[in-house]
Amino acid sequence: MTTQKVNFKNSNNTNITMSGILFLPEGFDKNKQYAAIVVTHPGGGVKEQTASTYASRLAQAGFIAAAYDASYQGETTGEPRLLENPYIRVEDISAVIDYISTLPYVDENRIGAAGICAGAGYSINAAINDHRIKAVAGISTVNIGAMYRNGWDGTVKDVDAMPLLMMGADARAREAQGNDGGRLPFAPETKESAPSKEMEDAWEYYRTSRAMCPTAPGYVLSRSLTQLLSYDAYNFAEAFLTQPLQIVVGSESESRWMSFGIYKRAAASADKNIHVVHGANHMELYDVLNYVEESASVIVPFFSKYL
C-alpha cells in the first residue's frame, strides 16, 4: 500500500481547495481500474486520524480509498475556519467523488462511501442524495443534528435544545458586527470534565498524543449551531436510501441509538446490515486495534460484494 497527497478544487465552491490522501493498493497499476471509497472523518477530526486508519485497511484489501479534510477544516481551505456546516460537509463528499471520478484508474461505476461518527452520518446523507455512491458503511454512526438536539445518549427532547439554537444565532450576530462569536469543544477539554468513560476516551483521543493532530484543534464555531440543530442526516432515508448499507457499532456505545436509528429508517435499502462489536464503546472503534480489525473484517467484504 502507498499513499499520495492530493489537492483539488471543490466543485461546489471553487474558492476552496480540498486536501486529501489517496491510499493505493499494493501493486497499484495506473493502467487498471479500481473500485474507490470516500472515507469521511468525524466532527472535529481530520483525515490523518481514524479516517486514515480505515482508509488504509480498505487499500490493503485492494480498493482505492480517499480520506480528506472537510471544507473550513484541517488542511482544506475556506473561511471561517472551524465551521461545521452539515450541508456543506455532505456536499464535500460529492465533491470528492467528482474529483476521483476524473482519475483514469478509478471505475466511476464502483464508488462507495464510508465514515466514522458524524462522518458516517454525512456519508449516509450523501448516499441519499448522490446515487453515484453504490454502497455505504457507517462506523460508530452519529446523526450530528440529532446529537445536538437530543444529547449524546438521546435523552433530551427536541424543544429543550432551543437554547443552543439561540446561542448559534447570537454568535452569528456577534460575528456580523465584527466580533468573536466564540467556539465550542467537540470533545471534553480535560479528563476531569468528561461525564463518562466514553467521553474520557474522546478527551484522550483528541487532546493527547493518542491521536491529537496539529491541524485538528477539536473545536467548532458556535455559529455552526444554526445549521446543526435542525439537520437530519437521515432525511428521506425511508424513500431514497436504496443502496446497500452496513453499520458497525459498539455494544457499549452511548451513541448506539443513532446507529440503530438509521438501520430502522433505511427501509428501502437493497441490503442493510448491522454488526455489533461486543465490548467496544464509541471511541474505541476509532483506533483500538482489535476493534478496528473486527470492523474492517465487516466492511471490507461488504464493499467487495457491492463494488
Side-chain angles (χ1 to χ4, degrees):
M1 183 194 69
T2 58
T3 61
Q4 179 182 338
K5 193 81 172 285
V6 294
N7 294 285
F8 54 94
K9 292 294 184 182
N10 186 319
S11 54
N12 295 304
N13 181 350
T14 55
N15 293 320
I16 290 178
T17 299
M18 305 293 288
S19 176
I21 304 171
L22 291 181
F23 290 76
L24 306 174
E26 192 72 29
F28 170 73
D29 183 345
K30 66 180 181 180
N31 296 312
K32 294 182 179 180
Q33 284 202 317
Y34 298 83
I37 300 165
V38 179
V39 185
T40 299
H41 63 72
V46 287
K47 61 186 181 300
E48 289 84 3
Q49 296 167 324
T50 186
S52 282
T53 298
Y54 279 95
S56 67
R57 299 306 193 279
L58 292 165
Q60 289 166 12
F63 299 100
I64 289 176
Y68 67 97
D69 288 332
S71 294
Y72 311 104
Q73 300 172 28
E75 294 180 313
T76 290
T77 66
E79 297 288 341
R81 302 306 295 168
L82 305 182
L83 182 69
E84 182 82 8
N85 183 318
Y87 305 97
I88 293 173
R89 285 278 255 136
V90 173
E91 285 297 321
D92 282 347
I93 296 170
S94 289
V96 176
I97 293 173
D98 290 342
Y99 167 70
I100 63 173
S101 295
T102 69
L103 301 175
Y105 45 83
V106 169
D107 184 343
E108 64 179 342
N109 295 310
R110 298 165 63 207
I111 292 175
I116 307 94
C117 189
Y122 293 141
S123 297
I124 289 164
N125 200 170
I128 291 168
N129 299 339
D130 189 341
H131 281 249
R132 291 178 298 174
I133 298 171
K134 303 305 182 186
V136 60
I139 299 150
S140 287
T141 302
V142 163
N143 179 348
I144 196 167
M147 184 197 79
Y148 275 99
R149 286 190 302 276
N150 308 126
W152 186 248
D153 61 1
T155 59
V156 180
K157 295 179 181 178
D158 287 352
V159 68
D160 291 335
M162 180 63 78
L164 290 177
L165 201 58
M166 300 307 296
M167 182 188 299
D170 290 344
R172 290 194 71 145
R174 291 196 299 274
E175 288 188 11
Q177 295 161 5
N179 300 313
D180 182 6
R183 61 184 191 172
L184 299 169
F186 259 117
E189 296 178 283
T190 65
K191 183 177 182 178
E192 292 71 27
S193 65
S196 66
K197 166 64 167 64
E198 193 159 65
M199 289 298 102
E200 283 185 14
D201 280 359
W203 163 80
E204 183 181 310
Y205 186 85
Y206 287 110
R207 308 288 186 194
T208 77
S209 58
R210 175 174 167 184
M212 187 168 58
C213 189
T215 58
Y219 294 90
V220 58
L221 289 183
S222 298
R223 66 171 290 173
S224 304
L225 293 169
T226 60
Q227 282 90 33
L228 289 165
L229 261 293
S230 60
Y231 172 72
D232 178 13
Y234 308 158
N235 192 36
F236 286 106
E238 296 85 352
F240 300 139
L241 184 58
T242 59
Q243 303 97 315
L245 170 70
Q246 177 66 63
I247 298 295
V248 180
V249 61
S251 64
E252 307 309 304
S253 172
E254 295 171 357
S255 68
R256 61 187 179 275
W257 60 280
M258 290 180 275
S259 289
F260 285 97
I262 185 56
Y263 179 75
K264 181 178 180 181
R265 288 180 65 174
S269 177
D271 185 13
K272 61 178 182 177
N273 308 276
I274 190 161
H275 177 84
V276 178
V277 179
H278 290 286
N281 69 23
H282 180 97
M283 300 294 165
E284 289 172 330
L285 293 186
Y286 285 24
D287 67 336
V288 175
L289 184 59
N290 58 315
Y291 296 142
V292 169
E293 295 302 340
E294 182 173 341
S295 298
S297 75
V298 173
I299 65 171
V300 164
F302 168 75
F303 282 121
S304 296
K305 179 178 180 180
Y306 290 109
L307 301 181

